[in-house]
């Protein structure tokens, strides 16, 4: 069993009067993939947005309870959110490269975080990040072209390269393949398998099959509550909770 | 009971699969009974009918295979549905093998004389009745998703082993009395062994039902009765 990287205890999230998460206790293991599943609006994205304080951008959002990374209180008011987001990268549902060159998409993060002082250091970071995201061979001869000129699947891998360029510890993926075709999806899944050797990964997905393929641990959310969490194989073969079973077998009324 | 699937046709496909398996089971049950009767009554007229019913069982097996392939491709079943699908595949294989063994027993009736001693037939009959009961119980446990009943069948196979031993001894005893008996006694030995093998397939089904219901395999090894030297 790997070490616990992120630990949430009695985590509650409110958007104004509406409570979005109820007492969520969930541990995420280091260098492992945790999949979060559940119907739309169940709180899984809200949960991962607590890990990099993305909920801060929503004025009416209030977070109570504990969420820690390596023992550090993520919710600490005095915490430097920029450095937190350097440690916790994020990839979204729709590929969102900057309207800049492929090279600049990757080098932007390291530059603002003060990594890669010289051009050759930056070149190295760009190359390494693109290699890690399995995109290097496809783009090495056109690094000056706009990121948006790539195909959807390539753009998503570019976003993953951008996320890992600042050498994070955790990568959050919010339905990273929902806009991709099966081949691009397979490439991302293959990549996730590789990336988990280095990073702790949390993936929100609506595809049960994807959760089974990529994750070691799965958590099922419903109406803001974490209903069941456990070994992925167990969850999909023989879950303990009837609600989990009803959801994964398509019996939700 | 679980709620119904949101997708109605998925619900229907799973139900259709279960229905096919139940029909295949009941066909296998009557064929096993008919084959047993044919041996005990040395009824040579029923041989063809029993052989023919085996073709029906085999057809069910292919039909169930196709249904399972379609379910896997179309629905990618999970949890209880996955266990239901995979269990159907395994149970249908065991039922088909039981069918083959009944057919083999029916074929063994042809060379038997009409005046077999009562004691010998009595032992064989008792074995046959127990195997029939085991098949009936295990199919019941499948229909009612009854873990305890399936486990009972699994444990009771020990008695099948013991009765096989007794039946086998009476055949060997009969054989040793007169060399003339050698020819058809070998057929009776095989028929007895076939019943024991059918019993083993029934325990496989019992194990599958236990997995289907609880999602866990039975732990430990099954109690074994007296074993015949092969």
């Amino acid at each position: 069993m790997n070490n616990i990287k992120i630990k949430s205890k009695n985590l509650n999230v409110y958007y104004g009067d509406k409570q979005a998460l109820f007492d969520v206790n969930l541990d995420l293991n280091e260098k492992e993939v945790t999949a979060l599943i559940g119907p739309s609006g169940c709180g899984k994205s809200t949960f991962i947005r607590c890990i990099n304080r993305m909920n801060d951008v929503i004025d009416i959002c209030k977070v109570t309870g504990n969420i820690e990374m390596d023992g550090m209180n993520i919710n600490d008011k005095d915490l430097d959110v920029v450095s937190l987001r350097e440690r916790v990268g994020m990839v979204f549902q729709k590929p969102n490269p900057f309207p800049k060159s492929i090279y600049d998409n990757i080098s932007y993060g390291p530059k603002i975080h003060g990594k890669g002082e010289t051009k050759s250091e930056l070149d190295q970071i760009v190359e390494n990040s693109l290699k890690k995201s399995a995109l290097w061979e496809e783009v090495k001869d056109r690094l000056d072209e706009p990121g948006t000129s790539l195909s959807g699947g390539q753009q998503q891998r570019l976003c993953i390269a951008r996320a890992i360029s600042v050498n994070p510890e955790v990568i959050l993926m919010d339905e990273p393949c929902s806009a991709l075709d099966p081949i691009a999806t397979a490439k991302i899944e293959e990549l996730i398998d590789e990336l988990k050797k280095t990073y702790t990964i949390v993936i929100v997905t609506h595809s049960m099959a994807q959760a089974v393929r990529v994750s070691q641990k799965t958590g099922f959310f419903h109406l803001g509550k974490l209903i069941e969490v456990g070994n992925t194989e167990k969850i999909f073969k023989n879950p303990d909770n009837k609600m989990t079973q009803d959801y994964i077998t398509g019996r939700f009324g | 009971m679980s709620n119904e699937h949101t997708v109605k046709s998925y619900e229907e496909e799973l139900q259709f699969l279960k229905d096919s398996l139940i029909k295949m089971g009941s066909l296998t049950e009557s064929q096993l009974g008919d084959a047993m009767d044919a041996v005990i009554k040395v009824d040579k007229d029923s041989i063809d009918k029993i052989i023919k019913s085996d073709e029906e069982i085999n057809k069910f097996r292919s039909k169930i295979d196709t249904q399972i392939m379609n379910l896997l491709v179309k629905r990618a079943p999970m949890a209880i549905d996955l266990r239901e699908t995979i269990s159907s595949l395994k149970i249908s294989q065991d039922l088909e093998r039981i069918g083959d063994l009944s057919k083999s027993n029916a074929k063994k009736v042809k060379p038997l004389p009409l005046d077999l001693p009562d004691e010998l037939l009595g032992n064989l009959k008792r074995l046959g009745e127990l195997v029939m009961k085991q098949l009936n119980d295990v199919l019941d446990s499948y229909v009612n998703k009854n873990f305890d009943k399936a486990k009972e069948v699994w444990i009771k196979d020990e008695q099948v082993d013991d009765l096989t031993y007794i039946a086998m001894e009476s055949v060997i005893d009969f054989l040793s009395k007169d060399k003339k008996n050698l020819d058809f006694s070998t057929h009776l030995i095989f028929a007895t062994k076939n019943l024991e093998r059918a019993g083993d397939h029934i325990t496989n089904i019992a194990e599958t039902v236990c997995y289907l219901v609880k999602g866990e395999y039975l732990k430990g090894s099954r109690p074994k009765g007296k074993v015949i030297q092969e």
Side-chain angles (χ1 to χ4, degrees):
Chain A
M1 183 67 123
N2 294 1
N3 293 331
I4 295 170
K5 182 76 185 171
I6 288 165
K7 197 174 180 63
S8 85
K9 227 169 125 190
N10 301 329
L11 189 72
N12 291 286
V13 175
Y14 306 81
Y15 294 117
D17 293 338
K18 193 186 174 300
Q19 188 164 359
L21 284 186
F22 296 81
D23 285 325
V24 173
N25 296 298
L26 178 57
D27 294 343
L28 308 175
N29 294 333
E30 192 173 28
K31 293 180 186 171
E32 221 180 75
V33 182
T34 303
L36 303 182
I37 58 167
S40 296
C42 68
K44 50 197 191 307
S45 294
T46 298
F47 178 81
I48 65 167
R49 290 163 63 92
C50 291
I51 301 173
N52 65 350
R53 292 264 298 262
M54 283 286 280
N55 290 320
D56 283 13
V57 298
I58 302 166
D59 286 341
I60 54 165
C61 182
K62 189 179 95 189
V63 181
T64 67
N66 269 322
I67 181 154
E68 294 176 353
M69 178 164 66
D70 295 332
M72 175 190 82
N73 177 8
I74 293 179
N75 268 338
D76 189 342
K77 269 197 226 103
D78 298 328
L79 184 83
D80 176 3
V81 177
V82 175
S83 80
L84 170 72
R85 290 181 193 154
E86 187 186 337
R87 293 175 69 187
V88 183
M90 192 162 189
V91 178
F92 298 87
Q93 182 172 6
K94 219 173 139 223
N96 55 353
F98 301 137
K100 287 170 174 285
S101 70
I102 295 170
Y103 185 96
D104 288 344
N105 259 281
I106 316 284
S107 63
Y108 183 77
K111 266 191 214 160
I112 62 160
H113 287 293
K115 292 179 177 172
E117 309 243 305
T118 64
K119 171 83 170 85
S120 73
E121 275 173 6
L122 276 176
D123 287 352
Q124 200 55 53
I125 290 174
V126 170
E127 183 176 336
N128 284 345
S129 305
L130 287 169
K131 275 183 175 163
K132 276 190 196 159
S133 69
L135 193 57
W136 176 249
E137 288 305 319
E138 292 161 58
V139 301
K140 63 181 178 193
D141 299 323
R142 46 180 179 137
L143 295 174
D144 294 334
E145 288 177 26
T148 48
S149 67
L150 298 171
S151 72
Q154 286 173 326
Q155 285 188 27
Q156 196 62 311
R157 277 181 284 149
L158 179 67
C159 292
I160 294 174
R162 185 176 63 189
I164 59 186
S165 67
V166 294
N167 200 20
E169 294 155 47
V170 179
I171 302 175
L172 311 175
M173 297 182 168
D174 198 350
E175 294 181 54
C177 301
S178 60
L180 305 184
D181 73 20
I183 299 192
T185 299
K187 283 184 182 164
I188 302 279
E189 289 180 4
E190 173 83 6
L191 181 57
I192 291 173
D193 242 11
E194 192 55 37
L195 294 176
K196 78 161 191 283
K197 292 176 190 161
T198 320
Y199 310 102
T200 301
I201 297 174
V202 192
I203 179 169
V204 165
T205 177
H206 279 298
S207 158
M208 304 297 141
Q210 181 169 65
V212 179
R213 286 192 299 260
V214 303
S215 74
Q216 288 72 56
K217 189 173 180 175
T218 297
F220 167 60
F221 281 81
H222 185 240
L223 298 175
K225 288 177 183 151
L226 178 65
I227 305 296
E228 183 171 356
V229 59
N231 177 298
T232 294
E233 209 178 293
K234 163 101 172 88
I235 295 276
F236 287 97
K237 282 188 191 161
N238 189 21
D240 288 329
N241 193 289
K242 188 174 176 299
M243 275 170 97
T244 315
Q245 168 134 307
D246 281 353
Y247 179 69
I248 61 175
T249 56
R251 287 180 165 92
F252 244 49
Chain B
M1 280 305 282
S2 293
N3 300 330
E4 292 217 333
H5 286 94
T6 311
V7 181
K8 286 262 181 318
S9 48
Y10 184 9
E11 191 72 27
E12 285 162 12
E13 283 162 20
L14 271 173
Q15 194 52 50
F16 196 39
L17 175 63
K18 286 181 223 171
D19 291 347
S20 301
L21 197 65
I22 292 167
K23 280 183 199 152
M24 184 183 181
S26 91
L27 209 56
T28 311
E29 222 178 337
S30 19
Q31 189 209 25
L32 178 70
D34 291 348
M36 213 34 241
D37 275 357
V39 175
I40 304 297
K41 294 176 185 158
V42 196
D43 175 8
K44 303 189 185 197
D45 294 337
S46 60
I47 299 174
D48 287 344
K49 187 190 142 215
I50 296 164
I51 291 173
K52 202 132 192 86
S53 69
D54 193 52
E55 288 168 20
E56 280 304 302
I57 292 174
N58 291 346
K59 273 187 209 158
F60 260 107
R61 166 73 206 286
S62 320
K63 188 177 150 191
I64 287 169
D65 270 5
T66 312
Q67 287 177 296
I68 289 169
M69 294 276 265
N70 288 343
L71 264 167
L72 290 173
V73 169
K74 283 165 74 176
R75 312 293 180 192
M78 294 283 182
I80 180 67
D81 300 337
L82 176 66
R83 304 207 301 276
E84 189 81 63
T85 309
I86 297 302
S87 299
S88 303
L89 182 67
K90 291 168 80 173
I91 293 173
S92 68
Q93 281 171 348
D94 282 312
L95 287 175
E96 192 212 342
R97 293 291 299 129
I98 294 172
D100 290 343
L101 294 166
S102 300
K103 181 172 88 172
S104 163
N105 273 5
K107 284 180 175 170
K108 300 202 169 11
V109 175
K110 224 174 208 170
L112 294 182
L114 295 169
D115 55 348
L116 285 167
D118 285 347
E119 193 209 333
L120 186 150
L121 289 177
N123 285 335
L124 206 57
K125 191 172 177 218
R126 270 194 292 282
L127 171 63
E129 279 167 357
L130 178 62
V131 174
M132 280 289 295
K133 169 96 173 56
Q134 287 276 84
L135 180 58
N136 187 276
D137 285 350
V138 86
L139 290 172
D140 245 25
S141 76
Y142 168 75
V143 173
N144 301 313
K145 305 278 179 287
N146 187 333
F147 177 90
D148 292 336
K149 189 155 193 181
K151 193 171 178 190
E152 211 176 283
V153 169
W154 186 71
I155 292 168
K156 232 169 121 185
D157 189 60
E158 189 181 8
Q159 294 178 22
V160 174
D161 291 346
D162 288 342
L163 275 185
T164 304
Y165 188 84
I166 294 167
M168 208 62 114
E169 269 194 334
S170 58
V171 178
I172 291 165
D173 190 43
F174 177 62
L175 183 152
S176 57
K177 276 183 191 148
D178 190 342
K179 275 209 169 149
K180 278 197 307 229
N181 299 336
L182 183 66
D183 246 10
F184 56 84
S185 291
T186 11
H187 292 292
L188 282 176
I189 286 176
F190 281 121
T192 312
K193 188 70 192 160
N194 281 345
L195 283 173
E196 192 225 353
R197 285 199 180 127
D200 290 341
H201 287 289
I202 291 165
T203 56
N204 286 348
I205 297 175
E207 284 170 12
T208 306
V209 172
C210 288
Y211 177 74
L212 167 64
V213 179
K214 287 208 173 164
E216 286 165 20
Y217 289 102
L218 283 169
K219 291 186 180 80
S221 51
R222 184 170 56 79
K224 296 254 186 265
K226 285 188 178 175
V227 181
I228 310 134
Q229 298 297 318
E230 300 214 20

